[in-house]
Amino acid sequence: MDNGFFIVIDGIDSSGSTTQTAKLGGKLIEKGIKVHLTMEPSQHPAGKLLREYLRNDSAPIATDALLFAADRVEHYHKEILPKLQEGFVVISDRYVESSIAYQSAQAQQHQEKENSPFKTMDMEWVKTINKFVPQPDLTFIIDIDPRVSLARKNPTIALEKFETVTFLDSVRKIYLERARSLNHIIVNGAKPVDEIANIIMNTFSNMISLEE
Ligand code: TMP
């Protein structure tokens, strides 16, 4: 492959997107393809700040949305784009769909609150602040019931602020509605890990006519 290709694997917490990003990367490297694996929140400064915010509930929801969008601008323009220009297949664990799903779900909660200063925050605004980066070439949404995904978590590690079934149910709904309207590939996250990895690999291979 001479031209870069940008793949995103997204989904609710513990859907398996991190595992599948690594699996796809491994399979492509075996085929001699240049691969760059990355994730959001990124390793850039705003991403590091976000990791801290995720451990406590203190950030106002608009701060979350703006920081995720700011991190993405830096992530795309300083890291993803240069790698694509060098001909890498870039695979990101999470990207814009995460913000649309999570931050719109946060906004929905505030639209119902009488005195919230964030009543006017909605999906359109989340889309607007994410307009500084382009869409990927291919997006996979790993779909799973939050009851199943959260049960997979190591019980000794504290949950982050978005990890509740009720909240993730709303996030999941938005991911699925968007995926259906934008033709993202929805993959059943309840299937065995290797089966999911094969589905993702085959979809990508067919799309770029990669030889088996
Ligand atoms: P992780 O669990 O994949 O490390 O992601 C961290 C958390 O951040 C996860 O709960 C999803 C959330 N998140 C957003 O709310 N918006 C975003 O734009 C991104 C990238 C992540």
Side-chain angles (χ1 to χ4, degrees):
M1 285 185 67
D2 296 332
N3 299 321
F5 196 97
F6 183 21
I7 303 173
V8 169
I9 304 185
D10 220 313
I12 65 163
D13 286 81
S14 300
S15 62
S17 61
T18 308
T19 306
Q20 292 302 334
T21 300
K23 290 243 172 213
L24 179 61
K27 283 173 187 278
L28 295 180
I29 287 167
E30 271 174 25
K31 297 221 171 257
I33 292 174
K34 293 195 295 184
V35 173
H36 179 72
L37 297 184
T38 187
M39 72 177 96
E40 291 190 358
S42 79
Q43 304 295 336
H44 298 275
K48 289 185 180 151
L49 187 56
L50 274 163
R51 293 268 171 217
E52 275 175 43
Y53 273 131
L54 286 168
R55 284 193 284 269
N56 64 63
D57 260 328
S58 64
I61 64 163
T63 303
D64 278 336
L66 290 164
L67 266 184
F68 281 117
D71 179 39
R72 186 161 297 123
V73 174
E74 199 164 15
H75 184 211
Y76 182 81
H77 291 281
K78 282 193 165 171
E79 181 178 339
I80 297 173
L81 181 59
K83 287 289 176 193
L84 292 172
Q85 286 169 338
E86 287 171 43
F88 279 79
V89 172
V90 177
I91 312 170
S92 183
D93 174 9
R94 298 192 178 281
Y95 189 60
V96 176
E97 287 311 302
S98 282
S99 278
I100 307 243
Y102 281 80
Q103 278 59 66
S104 303
Q106 283 184 294
Q108 279 170 1
Q109 289 179 332
H110 278 255
Q111 281 151 14
E112 287 148 24
K113 286 187 189 163
E114 185 91 353
N115 295 318
S116 170
F118 306 112
K119 266 175 114 58
T120 53
M121 185 171 148
D122 60 11
M123 189 188 287
E124 285 313 308
W125 179 75
V126 178
K127 284 185 192 167
T128 301
I129 60 171
N130 278 284
K131 274 190 179 158
F132 302 103
V133 297
Q135 286 296 318
D137 298 304
L138 179 61
T139 301
F140 293 94
I141 303 297
I142 306 188
D143 178 50
I144 190 157
D145 187 323
R147 289 150 199 84
V148 178
S149 77
L150 291 181
R152 287 174 174 174
K153 285 206 66 118
N154 179 342
T156 61
I157 298 175
L159 292 178
E160 288 179 341
K161 69 176 185 181
F162 296 133
E163 295 178 321
T164 68
V165 168
T166 324
F167 182 70
L168 291 179
D169 268 336
S170 322
V171 175
R172 180 187 189 196
K173 203 162 157 256
I174 302 171
Y175 268 125
L176 290 176
E177 280 167 7
R178 294 259 309 162
R180 289 186 190 117
S181 69
L182 296 172
N183 289 330
H184 296 152
I185 313 289
I186 301 172
V187 188
N188 178 355
K191 285 184 191 271
V193 170
D194 286 328
E195 202 177 313
I196 299 174
N198 288 338
I199 294 172
I200 292 178
M201 177 65 185
N202 291 341
T203 307
F204 176 60
S205 302
N206 290 339
M207 195 167 168
I208 59 155
S209 308
L210 202 65
E211 285 177 18
E212 288 299 314

